[in-house]
Amino acid sequence: MKPLLDLTKTYAIALEGGGAKGGYEVGVWKALEEMGVRYNAVSGTSVGALNGALMAMRDLPGAIAAWEDIRLDKVIDFDANQEENLRRVVSGEVDFSSFHELIPQAFDVIRKRGLDVAPLRAWVREVVDCKKIKSSDVRLFISTVSLTDRKGLELCVNDLEEDEICDMLLASAYHPTFRLEKLGGKLYADGGFIDSLPLHVLVENGYRDIIAVRIPSRFARERRFKIPDDVNIWYVDTDADLGGVLNFSAEQARRDMTIGYYDAWHDLCGLYGKRYYIERSMTEREALDRILDSYLRRAPGFPLRELCEKELPRMAKGLNVTGGYYELLLALLEVTAEGRELDKLRIYTDREFLAAIRAASPENGEETAADKEPRAETEEEPCALRE
């Protein structure tokens, strides 16, 4: 696969905030390294700031190891008898019937004015090498909110004193549920309150080729500004469930990293598919032939013109397909693949995808929708006029 990006250019990377979902960004980073993408600047908010620090250090193995070993108790200090309920809360497993069990703990958190994140402080100091950031060829920008000064801040971490760096990275990631404590003599709040995806600071500092990594969140707030015409932004994002914002677990982080890795290949290399990762080899004509062959095997004698002009558009609308016959074929195949529980976390060629669907058939290889090899493409009349 060849990236659509111009690999002769050097890029800036923007990393969105998202708490425990941050492993996704490390997966994207891994893919960028394999593609040969060069970068000289990173901006990050919240967990994006922490991942950005690791990118500035150019320590991908360290970032992977850190996320593969992440646990809730490395972020939040809590009593052992609270662990199970706290895990249920942060993973979104609590229903209304369980609320009465959590009321005493909720009051305890309120009484203490938030969750104790001393472990997070220790974790940041463990994984961040401030000397490497200071001497890095990568400029690192972060967003945070100074509650003391009542204003949003965009900071260049390389320009800070070494003993300020970890505090300011924490300041960017200071979630509203955390116990409010001074960092460097001031109170701070999560940078997501002013800019969850810090593109502005990159544009303001002259970067014109940017890769933006989004993390899905209901509470994301992006700073609005006019993006100049000469700025090119490539986005990597996902519709996948990356877990809860405080659901810190190694298992979830590993899955999020894998999703980020494949999403980067999908979005930056032009892969197809909405639920799977598909590398295209078929022509539009081949895709249409497969659809027609499949349909007509099931409804012999169906008027071909009605099929092309009415039935296929109806199918495309029902599947919310935009594009041509190739996109329609993939949408039909993805529905079948999901029903047969094909592995989603891998890259298929379209022909491999067809073969995998056939192999997963309950009939043990019986020809299924669009499995049949298409007729050879010729310069004859369009297939819609054949028969």
Side-chain angles (χ1 to χ4, degrees), residues 260-325:
Y261 176 82
Y262 285 114
D263 279 350
W265 285 104
H266 182 281
D267 294 351
L268 301 180
C269 295
L271 296 183
Y272 286 74
K274 293 183 178 179
R275 303 176 179 90
Y276 292 82
Y277 304 95
I278 312 296
E279 186 177 5
R280 181 171 183 169
S281 69
M282 294 182 194
T283 65
E284 191 78 352
R285 171 75 166 271
E286 288 176 307
L288 178 57
D289 276 349
R290 286 185 180 275
I291 296 171
L292 294 177
D293 287 346
S294 174
Y295 198 99
L296 293 174
R297 283 201 307 275
R298 287 155 177 75
F302 194 94
L304 197 54
R305 180 173 179 176
E306 183 177 346
L307 176 56
C308 289
E309 294 183 359
K310 293 183 179 180
E311 187 64 11
L312 296 188
R314 181 191 66 79
M315 293 167 60
K317 183 177 180 181
L319 292 168
N320 194 29
V321 173
T322 58
Y325 291 119

Side-chain angles (χ1 to χ4, degrees), residues 15 29 38 47 49 64 107 141 159 211 218 239 295 318 324 368:
L15 303 175
W29 179 13
R38 296 177 297 169
V47 75
I64 294 173
F107 276 116
F141 302 92
D159 295 336
I211 298 170
R218 291 176 295 174
D239 294 325
Y295 198 99
T368 60

Side-chain angles (χ1 to χ4, degrees), residues 11-22:
Y11 292 83
I13 315 293
L15 303 175
E16 189 160 20
K21 305 176 187 183

Side-chain angles (χ1 to χ4, degrees), residues 141-155:
F141 302 92
I142 63 172
S143 299
T144 187
V145 177
S146 172
L147 298 177
T148 301
D149 299 323
R150 298 185 180 184
K151 65 179 181 180
L153 301 174
E154 293 177 336
L155 305 173

Side-chain angles (χ1 to χ4, degrees), residues 130-147:
C130 299
K131 290 184 182 296
K132 281 188 177 181
I133 292 176
K134 286 286 292 181
S135 62
S136 177
D137 61 334
V138 178
R139 302 293 285 171
L140 173 60
F141 302 92
I142 63 172
S143 299
T144 187
V145 177
S146 172
L147 298 177

Side-chain angles (χ1 to χ4, degrees), residues 150-350:
R150 298 185 180 184
K151 65 179 181 180
L153 301 174
E154 293 177 336
L155 305 173
C156 180
V157 177
N158 313 70
D159 295 336
L160 300 175
E161 297 297 327
E162 280 187 26
D163 60 2
E164 295 179 298
I165 289 176
C166 286
D167 276 351
M168 290 301 98
L169 292 173
L170 278 167
S172 181
Y174 224 79
H175 193 270
T177 60
F178 294 170
R179 186 180 303 168
L180 203 55
E181 296 176 339
K182 288 186 176 182
L183 299 166
K186 295 184 179 182
L187 297 174
Y188 293 90
D190 195 297
F193 282 113
I194 58 165
D195 198 357
S196 59
L197 181 64
L199 293 169
H200 175 266
V201 67
L202 293 176
V203 174
E204 285 295 300
N205 281 275
Y207 297 97
R208 291 297 179 262
D209 295 291
I210 301 170
I211 298 170
V213 185
R214 292 185 179 276
I215 294 180
S217 172
R218 291 176 295 174
F219 308 108
R221 179 177 180 178
E222 295 180 25
R223 178 170 180 171
R224 294 189 178 184
F225 69 103
K226 179 174 174 54
I227 298 177
D229 293 338
D230 63 341
V231 171
N232 302 302
I233 303 176
W234 295 79
Y235 289 94
V236 178
D237 58 14
T238 191
D239 294 325
D241 181 4
L242 301 180
V245 70
L246 291 178
N247 185 22
F248 289 93
S249 79
E251 181 181 2
Q252 183 68 54
R254 282 192 291 269
R255 176 174 172 77
D256 291 351
M257 281 191 283
T258 303
I259 294 171
Y261 176 82
Y262 285 114
D263 279 350
W265 285 104
H266 182 281
D267 294 351
L268 301 180
C269 295
L271 296 183
Y272 286 74
K274 293 183 178 179
R275 303 176 179 90
Y276 292 82
Y277 304 95
I278 312 296
E279 186 177 5
R280 181 171 183 169
S281 69
M282 294 182 194
T283 65
E284 191 78 352
R285 171 75 166 271
E286 288 176 307
L288 178 57
D289 276 349
R290 286 185 180 275
I291 296 171
L292 294 177
D293 287 346
S294 174
Y295 198 99
L296 293 174
R297 283 201 307 275
R298 287 155 177 75
F302 194 94
L304 197 54
R305 180 173 179 176
E306 183 177 346
L307 176 56
C308 289
E309 294 183 359
K310 293 183 179 180
E311 187 64 11
L312 296 188
R314 181 191 66 79
M315 293 167 60
K317 183 177 180 181
L319 292 168
N320 194 29
V321 173
T322 58
Y325 291 119
Y326 185 80
E327 286 79 7
L328 176 57
L329 173 64
L330 282 192
L332 293 166
L333 292 175
E334 285 187 313
V335 170
T336 304
E338 279 198 314
R340 296 181 185 176
E341 299 182 345
L342 258 64
D343 182 9
K344 292 184 177 181
L345 296 179
R346 57 160 290 188
I347 297 172
Y348 301 85
T349 67
D350 42 29

